Amino acid sequence: MRIPKRKRNPLRYILRLLLSVVLAVTLYFGGMSWLILHTWKTSAGANSDTMIILGAAVWNGKPSPALKERLDVAVALWNEKKAARIITTGGIGLPGEPSEAATMKKYLVQQGIPASAILVEDQSRSTYENLQNSRKLMDEHNLRTAILVTHGFHAFRADMMAEMLGIPSTVEPVQLRPHKLAYYTLRECGGVAYLLVTDPLRSIQALF
C-alpha cells in the first residue's frame, strides 16, 4: 500500500527561515558587540610616527564635546611623546562652519603643540575617507605607523578600516562612556556589517 507524501507546509518553512535569520542576527550582534567593547577596554596606542585624530562635529567654530574629548586624548599622547606628528582629519560638516581638521589644528596649537607638527586632512566626509586621505599624507611625509585617536565604541571599526587600507596602527580610545552606549554599539555593529557586505575580501582579511 502506497503511503501518500505529506504536503509541505509553506508557513512552517517560512517560520523556520525567519527563526534562522533571527538567530543569525542575534549571534552576530551579540558577538560583534563583545568585540567592540573588548577592543575599547583593551586598546592602547603604541609609540608611532604619527597620530590620526578621526573627525567629529564642529559647533559654532569650536570642537563639539565629542571632538574635544578626542583632542584632549591626543594632547596627552603628545605630552607623553608617543608620536612626533599629528594628522587632523575631517572636512566641512555644517554649512558656514570651518572644517573639522582646521578646527582641531587651532585647538591643538592653543594647547602648545607646534603648528609645524600638524598635518591637515580637510577633504574627508567619513571615517573611511579620514583614513584613506591620511594614508596619502603618511606616504608623502614618510610616516609608517599611526595611533588612531577616537572614541572607545569606534575603536574596533576604525582599526579594521586602517588594516584594510594598509596602515600599521594601534588605537588610543577615549574612555568616557557615552549616555547612549547601546545605540552607539549597535550602530558600530551595523557599520562593520556594511564593510563586510561592500568589501568582503579586505574586511574579512582585516578581521584575521
Side-chain angles (χ1 to χ4, degrees):
M1 180 177 177
R2 187 174 181 180
I3 300 173
K5 292 182 179 180
R6 292 179 61 185
K7 292 184 178 179
R8 291 186 178 181
N9 186 333
L11 182 59
R12 181 178 296 177
Y13 175 78
I14 292 171
L15 286 174
R16 285 179 177 175
L17 180 61
L18 287 174
L19 285 172
S20 298
V21 171
V22 169
L23 178 60
V25 170
T26 301
L27 288 173
Y28 168 78
F29 276 91
M32 188 55 64
S33 295
W34 183 87
L35 282 173
I36 288 167
L37 296 175
H38 178 72
T39 302
W40 173 0
K41 295 304 179 183
T42 59
S43 295
N47 288 358
S48 299
D49 297 329
T50 188
M51 291 178 243
I52 301 174
I53 310 173
L54 299 179
V58 171
W59 293 355
N60 298 318
K62 297 180 179 180
S64 63
L67 183 52
K68 185 177 181 299
E69 289 166 0
R70 296 182 187 185
L71 290 166
D72 289 341
V73 167
V75 171
L77 291 174
W78 175 268
N79 291 333
E80 294 170 10
K81 303 187 185 305
K82 289 282 188 176
R85 302 298 292 269
I86 298 175
I87 300 174
T88 61
T89 68
I92 296 173
L94 297 173
E97 295 282 13
S99 70
E100 295 169 7
T103 303
M104 289 189 213
K105 180 174 181 178
K106 181 179 178 181
Y107 181 89
L108 294 172
V109 170
Q110 290 172 344
Q111 307 309 307
I113 296 175
S116 59
I118 303 169
L119 302 173
V120 174
E121 183 288 296
D122 60 1
Q123 300 300 310
S124 56
R125 302 297 296 272
S126 66
T127 300
Y128 191 86
E129 290 180 359
N130 288 166
L131 292 167
Q132 190 175 47
N133 296 341
S134 293
R135 171 64 192 270
K136 294 176 184 177
L137 284 175
M138 289 177 67
D139 290 342
E140 290 171 9
H141 293 270
N142 197 30
L143 304 171
R144 296 178 57 83
T145 57
I147 303 171
L148 310 181
V149 180
T150 189
H151 277 76
F153 58 82
H154 190 222
F156 179 85
R157 185 162 62 97
D159 190 48
M160 181 178 174
M161 286 187 280
E163 181 71 24
M164 291 169 66
L165 291 164
I167 302 174
S169 63
T170 54
V171 186
E172 183 69 30
V174 174
Q175 292 295 345
L176 296 176
R177 180 188 178 98
H179 294 300
K180 299 179 180 179
L181 179 58
Y183 163 76
Y184 287 112
T185 303
L186 291 175
R187 189 180 72 173
E188 289 301 307
C189 289
V192 173
Y194 177 80
L195 290 174
L196 290 168
V197 170
T198 57
D199 196 348
L201 181 59
R202 286 199 301 170
S203 59
I204 290 171
Q205 288 176 337
L207 288 174
F208 297 100

